[in-house]
Amino acid sequence: MKKFSKLEAVFWSIALPGFSQLLMGQLWKGTLFVALEFIINVYSHFNSAIMLSFMGEIDKAVHVLNYQWLMFYPCLYMFAMWDAYRTAMPENEELSFLPFVFSAYFVTVGLMYSTKLKLFGVFFGPVFLPMLFVIPGVFTGLLIRWIILKCRKRPVES
């Protein structure tokens, strides 16, 4: 199995869930992630929404999507990224999953509100709003990780 840096593993996973696993020789897992990504992408019409969003037709992007299928996407995407990261990280690294988990939660919530929520008067829609929700998700996960690790290191008073 080829050894990747954590950053390289995450970036290949951002490109397409399962790519990191395939490149690291985890063929079954990588193939499963790629297949699930394609199934969810096709049934949710996500590529159409991405194209429409980048062309500025956010309202059309809202209406082309099948949200029942797309709701699976954030968790699959973040789990595939976490799995790639976990494979590349040192064994003694603790609680590194928290930023990925909270990003999945926040992106899912962002997706749920993406049909109506405006930020600063701007309608970001179902592609850009969930992407923006990654930021508070990562920070929340990092903060919770930092708090837990800090509390673990504190000596117990008797």
Side-chain angles (χ1 to χ4, degrees):
M1 177 166 67
K2 183 184 182 316
K3 188 68 176 158
F4 278 34
S5 73
K6 295 182 292 188
L7 189 60
E8 184 178 7
V10 168
F11 278 170
W12 277 116
S13 227
I14 288 171
L16 189 78
F19 271 8
S20 286
Q21 289 80 4
L22 290 172
L23 288 169
M24 289 189 267
Q26 300 171 342
L27 301 182
W28 286 104
K29 192 187 309 183
T31 302
L32 176 65
F33 285 150
V34 170
L36 287 171
E37 197 282 337
F38 272 97
I39 290 166
I40 293 169
N41 194 305
V42 167
Y43 282 102
S44 69
H45 309 285
F46 195 37
N47 279 350
S48 297
I50 292 169
M51 282 181 15
L52 290 165
S53 293
F54 274 90
M55 292 187 305
E57 300 182 51
I58 308 275
D59 288 325
K60 286 183 183 177
V62 168
H63 295 291
V64 76
L65 282 171
N66 180 331
Y67 287 86
Q68 293 300 312
W69 275 96
L70 191 56
M71 292 293 289
F72 291 107
Y73 199 75
C75 290
L76 172 68
Y77 198 81
M78 289 298 168
F79 181 77
M81 237 187 284
W82 155 244
D83 183 73
Y85 182 93
R86 180 179 56 92
T87 303
M89 74 180 197
E91 285 188 33
N92 62 345
E93 192 170 311
E94 296 182 87
L95 303 174
S96 298
F97 64 90
L98 288 170
F100 295 93
V101 169
F102 279 92
S103 291
Y105 294 156
F106 275 72
V107 170
T108 301
V109 170
L111 183 58
M112 288 188 277
Y113 284 100
S114 69
T115 61
K116 300 187 186 297
L117 182 67
K118 290 182 179 181
L119 294 176
F120 310 108
V122 177
F123 182 58
F124 288 95
V127 173
F128 298 122
L129 186 70
M131 285 172 36
L132 288 173
F133 273 50
V134 168
I135 297 164
V138 167
F139 283 122
T140 301
L142 288 171
L143 177 63
I144 291 171
R145 179 179 184 263
W146 180 79
I147 291 169
I148 292 170
L149 291 174
K150 193 85 164 162
C151 289
R152 279 188 185 173
K153 291 180 182 170
R154 190 178 300 161
V156 179
E157 295 179 25
S158 42

